[in-house]
Amino acid sequence: MEKWPITLTAVKKTKPSADRLGFGKYFTDHMLLMDYSAGQGWHDPRIVPYGPISLDPSAMVFHYGQEVFEGMKAYRTPQGELVLFRPDMNLRRLNQSCSRIGIPQVDPEEVLEGICRLLLLEEEWMPEGEGNSMYIRPFIIATEAGLGVRAAQEYRLIVILSPVGAYYPEGIHPVRIYVEDRYVRAVRGGTGEAKTSGNYAAGIKAQEDVKSQGYSQVLWLDGIEKRYIEEVGSMNVFFKIDGKVVTPELNGSILAGVTRDSVLRLLREWGVSVNERRISVEELFEAHREGRLEEAFGTGTAAVISPIGSMTWEGRDIVIAGGETGELSAKLYDTLTGIQRGEREDSFGWRYPVH
Ligand SMILES: *Cc1c(COP(=O)(O)O)cnc(C)c1O
C-alpha cells in the first residue's frame, strides 16, 4: 500500500519569480496531512491539494492553544540534489514539544518520509537563485470540538512548504537589539523549551513596541530575575568575549536550536573555547566597557547567523564589533550555509538527501 497517497491539485498556481519571494508569503500546490484520534492513534497520512481547512469553532486549539510546530529548509546542491539539514533533530524536537504540550508523539521516520514525498512532488517549486530555499513548516493542532479544559483526543498534523528568498538579499548585516526589561517570553517550568505558538503570542507585543523605535528584535532576559540572557527574538544567542565564545545554557526556558547545536559543534571542531553557561546582561555590558566584548550573534534556521551590531539596555547603548559583521560570525555563516547548500564538505554528515 502507498504510505502517503497523493491527491493531485486540479489547478496549479502561478509560481512567484525568484527575486521577490521574501519569507513565508507563497505556498506550494500541495500539503501533507495526518490525523490522530484517541482510539486509532495517528492514521490516514496523505498528500492533498493546498487549501483552507475546515474546523469546528470549538476546536480546542482555538481556545487553549495546544499547538506545536517546526521550521526547517530544503536546499538544492550545485549537483542538483535536494537536501535537508539535520531533519532528525527537527523531528526529535517536534516530539519533545508534543510531550510538553500534551500532544501525542508522531513516528519521526514516517513523517520524514512524508516530507520527502511532498518535497519531491513540489520539486518545480524549489526556487532557483543564490540563497533561496524551500521552507518547511510542520505543525500539529488540537482539532477536537469542545470547551472542556483537558488534553484533546483529536489532532491534525499538517506540513506546508513555502519557497523563500535569501534572509539577507544584500548580504549578511548586523541588526539593532533592544534588551527587553518589562516583558518576558518564558519562565523555567513553562513552555519556553517547546516550539509552540503560545511562546510567540507572549512575545509579539514586546517585539512590536521596539520595532517602531527602529530595533529589529528584542533580547529576552530570564523570567525571574530579568538578569540572565535567554534568546534574541526567535533565535539562540552567542557572544565572543576575550576570544572565548559563550551561549546561555539550556535551562528549561530556552529553545534548543538545531543551528545552536551546529554552531557549538563547529566551534569545538575549530578549537575555539566555547562555554554554555548563565550570562548576565551586566556581565555583557561590563565586558563591553572593558573592550572585551568582540562579537554577538543570533542563530536560527531562517537567518542561520544574524550578527548583532548594537544593543540597548536601560537607556544605555553599546555598539558591538564596530557595528560590522565580526570575523567569527562571518566564518560561521559561510561554513554553515556552505554545508547546507552542498557547496562545502559535510564532515559531520548533516546533509540528508531527499529521496
Ligand atoms: C525555532 C527557534 C529557535 C531556532 O532554532 P533552529 O532549530 O536553530 O531554527 C530559537 N528560538 C526559538 C524561540 C525558536 O522558536
Side-chain angles (χ1 to χ4, degrees), residues 105-292:
Q105 302 199 355
V106 297
D107 175 350
E109 271 152 41
E110 181 184 20
V111 175
L112 181 54
E113 191 202 309
I115 289 172
C116 288
R117 282 287 163 87
L118 183 63
L119 282 165
L120 291 174
L121 177 67
E122 303 290 56
E123 202 167 347
E124 59 192 37
W125 280 89
M126 202 56 212
E128 303 288 333
E130 169 90 35
N132 297 340
S133 58
M134 184 72 86
Y135 186 78
I136 304 158
R137 168 56 58 86
F139 61 108
I140 302 175
I141 52 175
T143 50
E144 185 189 349
L147 298 181
V149 179
R150 55 170 171 78
Q153 308 242 32
E154 291 165 18
Y155 297 89
R156 179 168 286 177
L157 164 82
I158 306 178
V159 183
I160 54 178
L161 303 181
S162 176
V164 298
Y167 195 85
Y168 299 105
E170 282 100 46
I172 181 171
H173 63 84
V175 294
R176 286 182 69 198
I177 297 297
Y178 185 87
V179 181
E180 179 56 54
D181 52 10
R182 288 179 303 158
Y183 302 111
V184 298
R185 187 190 82 95
V187 290
R188 237 151 298 150
T191 56
E193 63 185 342
K195 213 167 172 74
T196 183
S197 50
N199 295 332
Y200 281 71
I204 276 173
K205 174 150 173 59
Q207 168 155 359
E208 290 303 308
D209 285 358
V210 305
K211 222 163 52 180
S212 57
Q213 299 167 53
Y215 297 97
S216 73
Q217 301 276 356
V218 298
L219 185 110
W220 295 109
L221 299 178
D222 75 275
I224 296 162
E225 297 181 61
K226 294 204 188 116
R227 198 170 156 209
Y228 297 102
I229 289 166
E230 299 240 308
E231 300 199 44
V232 56
S234 48
M235 291 183 284
N236 297 114
V237 66
F238 286 75
F239 303 96
K240 182 166 166 250
I241 302 174
D242 271 338
K244 297 177 182 149
V245 174
V246 289
T247 189
E249 67 192 337
L250 300 177
N251 59 1
S253 52
I254 292 175
L255 201 281
V258 177
T259 321
R260 176 186 183 276
D261 183 79
S262 308
V263 163
L264 286 172
R265 290 182 58 180
L266 277 176
L267 291 173
R268 287 182 178 132
E269 164 100 348
W270 294 343
V272 177
S273 156
V274 283
N275 221 329
E276 297 170 69
R277 63 167 172 85
R278 282 210 306 198
I279 307 157
S280 71
V281 61
E282 288 105 330
E283 174 188 344
L284 211 63
F285 274 64
E286 188 177 306
H288 178 268
R289 203 166 43 244
E290 294 166 357
R292 297 183 293 114

